[in-house]
Amino acid sequence: MADRRPQFVWMLVARAGTLVTGVLASVVVARALTPEERGTYYMAVSVATTAMAVGHLSVEQAQTSMWTEKRRRSSLDRNSVPLGLLIGTAAAVVATGLCLVFQEHGHFPDIRLLVLACTGVPMGMAVLYGTNITLLRDRAGVAGWSMLGSAVVQCLCLVAFGVTGHLTVRTVVIAWVVSFAVSLIVLIAARGVTVGRPDLRLAGTTCAKGLRLHAGSAASYLLMRSDVFLLNALAGSRDVGIYTLAVTLAELSRLAVDVFAQVTLSRQFNDDVDDSALVAARMVRFTVLLGVASALTTVAGVSALITPLYGRPYADTATVVAWLVPGVLLLSAARPLSTFLLRQRSSHLVVLPSLTALVVNVALNAALIPVCGAVGCAIASTVAYSAVVAFQMTYFRRISGLGLRCLLPTSAEATRFTTEVKRRYRELHISRVP
């Protein structure tokens, strides 16, 4: 089996660079905009990202499920970008129309800002489908370049707007839209995805397959983002500004775990079901160790740096991050289980956990937001994420026949992991005083 370490290192560097530029961008925005203004910008972006999440028809999950059929791979590749642009355009139109209808009740931003944000939906959808194909083709490096290029250009745009005195809610949204265009250009130029004549029959089959999985996929997204809409309606834009910054920072804990899952995605489709279960279990044991280390580092770092970097108005973000990180860790570490269940081609394995957790999340948010504000959102999210993982572990045990203990790192694995981290730490000479 090919050595995955070079790909892992490159993707880790790309994701780290993406996150660093993202954090820098968030600092620039926080210094220029108040929490209320940040909340307004984020609500406009949330409408667009929700249009992508609810409107993508789970095509990328269908691509993953159908990738085991080698004869269809080239057509799935060619279809990805045209299908993304087409479905993305339809989703943007529907989202804009719904916002016009519900603008007053949902406290949405100005419709012109929403339309501007939604112009990024077709490109974002094409990036979503194209990146998934790139990873399935085992070209993680191209996906890394795409992510990094997008983040760097977005950050440079924000810095340029800030230096020239033009950093406003509107220009922040413009930079966000431009980032999708850059990502798509890199994917195509680096041949991570092929642009060619689409196979219309296969496109229809892919959409039909995706629709059977879509209730679970849409619920998974709404599970992670519906709280923003509820928070905006029940608490206001200031709490949205605090909470969304906390989400951005909490997701730093996913860096190494997500990279490992992306680089090893193709391995879960190279074996039969029994071998795939063993591979998934080994991956989960490793992602748990990575996740715990990342989570502790993230909470400590945010607690120490939030006020110096973002300013006193954002000080409450540290508490929200501490409540969010455990749920983010669980959901990220269990990603190999989600891939394993998707391979089974049974829609209820994907749909039921997400729908159940979404109901739990909405109910808890409705109860906790009036009392705890953004902290209530974080608590509700962690509980709901834990519910998803509990479902996935139960289904995994039933299908694979493996005990749940096989998903927990052994003491020997934990010792090896800790020893390796300490060795790397000493190599960096961090503890030495010059």
Side-chain angles (χ1 to χ4, degrees):
M1 188 176 292
D3 187 359
R4 302 277 165 165
R5 283 177 294 181
Q7 288 196 63
F8 177 77
V9 171
W10 163 242
M11 279 293 288
L12 188 61
V13 170
R15 282 296 300 272
T18 300
L19 286 172
V20 168
T21 53
V23 170
L24 176 60
S26 69
V27 172
V28 173
V29 171
R31 289 295 183 178
L33 305 180
T34 65
E36 290 81 2
E37 290 172 326
R38 190 183 193 282
T40 300
Y41 136 72
Y42 203 90
M43 281 308 303
V45 169
S46 291
V47 168
T49 53
T50 301
M52 284 189 278
V54 177
H56 64 46
L57 307 182
S58 293
V59 165
E60 82 287 358
Q61 286 189 303
Q63 290 171 333
T64 302
S65 179
M66 298 167 69
W67 198 253
T68 53
E69 303 175 45
K70 294 184 179 181
R71 61 185 176 83
R72 288 181 161 180
R73 290 183 178 181
S74 61
S75 296
L76 287 169
D77 179 13
R78 292 196 308 273
N79 282 357
S80 56
V81 171
L83 201 55
L85 294 173
L86 179 62
I87 295 176
T89 300
V93 171
V94 172
T96 303
L98 289 175
C99 286
L100 279 171
V101 174
F102 297 104
Q103 186 172 24
E104 183 177 348
H105 298 290
H107 300 148
F108 292 117
D110 181 78
I111 191 64
R112 289 170 295 183
L113 188 67
L114 293 175
V115 169
L116 176 61
C118 284
T119 59
V121 174
M123 291 181 291
M125 201 83 81
V127 170
L128 175 66
Y129 298 168
T131 299
N132 191 58
I133 290 293
T134 301
L135 292 171
L136 288 169
R137 293 177 64 192
D138 207 14
R139 303 201 64 191
V142 175
W145 273 110
S146 174
M147 287 188 299
L148 185 57
S150 172
V152 169
V153 169
Q154 182 180 16
C155 187
L156 289 176
C157 287
L158 292 174
V159 171
F161 286 137
V163 169
T164 59
H166 293 93
L167 191 58
T168 63
V169 171
R170 181 178 178 83
T171 55
V172 173
V173 174
I174 290 174
W176 181 80
V177 171
V178 168
S179 70
F180 281 121
V182 172
S183 188
L184 183 59
I185 290 170
V186 172
L187 282 176
I188 295 172
R191 298 182 180 179
V193 65
T194 304
V195 178
R197 183 176 179 178
D199 183 335
L200 298 182
R201 178 175 294 182
L202 182 60
T205 302
T206 306
C207 290
K209 174 68 176 177
L211 279 172
R212 292 199 292 273
L213 301 167
H214 192 51
S217 179
S220 293
Y221 177 84
L222 292 175
L223 170 64
M224 302 183 71
R225 292 295 181 263
S226 61
D227 46 11
V228 174
F229 292 93
L230 290 168
L231 189 61
N232 185 60
L234 298 175
S237 58
R238 181 188 180 279
D239 279 67
V240 171
I242 296 293
Y243 181 72
T244 54
L245 176 59
V247 171
T248 299
L249 296 176
E251 290 184 347
L252 291 171
S253 64
R254 299 177 56 174
L255 169 61
V257 178
D258 281 355
V259 168
F260 179 77
Q262 287 177 326
V263 169
T264 56
L265 176 64
S266 61
R267 290 183 60 180
Q268 291 191 255
F269 293 88
N270 291 335
D271 304 304
D272 59 28
V273 174
D274 291 338
D275 288 339
S276 179
L278 293 172
V279 170
R282 288 198 298 269
M283 289 180 180
V284 169
R285 292 199 299 273
F286 187 69
T287 55
V288 167
L289 292 170
L290 277 178
V292 170
S294 298
L296 293 174
T297 303
T298 300
V299 171
V302 169
S303 298
L305 298 175
I306 187 68
T307 300
L309 284 178
Y310 292 90
R312 197 164 293 278
Y314 290 91
D316 293 341
T317 304
T319 302
V320 182
V321 168
W323 282 104
L324 270 173
V325 162
V328 171
L329 162 63
L330 281 173
L331 200 61
S332 187
R335 188 169 173 178
L337 299 184
S338 177
T339 302
F340 174 82
L341 295 177
L342 183 61
R343 175 176 174 149
Q344 309 313 307
R345 301 192 177 191
S346 179
S347 58
H348 81 276
L349 298 178
V350 179
V351 173
L352 183 59
S354 299
L355 285 176
T356 303
L358 176 61
V359 172
V360 171
N361 192 34
V362 170
L364 286 175
N365 272 303
L368 294 175
I369 288 175
V371 179
C372 307
V375 171
C377 263
I379 295 171
S381 294
T382 291
V383 172
Y385 297 166
S386 301
V388 170
V389 174
F391 270 106
Q392 291 175 340
M393 292 172 64
T394 301
Y395 286 142
F396 176 80
R397 180 181 61 81
R398 290 178 182 176
I399 294 170
S400 68
L402 299 174
L404 296 181
R405 290 187 62 182
C406 74
L407 301 177
L408 299 176
T410 64
S411 58
E413 289 171 331
T415 300
R416 286 198 301 271
F417 180 84
T418 304
T419 301
E420 181 67 14
V421 170
K422 289 180 179 179
R423 186 178 69 83
R424 297 289 184 182
Y425 182 83
R426 286 195 298 269
E427 287 177 356
L428 292 173
H429 303 289
I430 293 176
S431 60
R432 293 187 179 181
V433 178

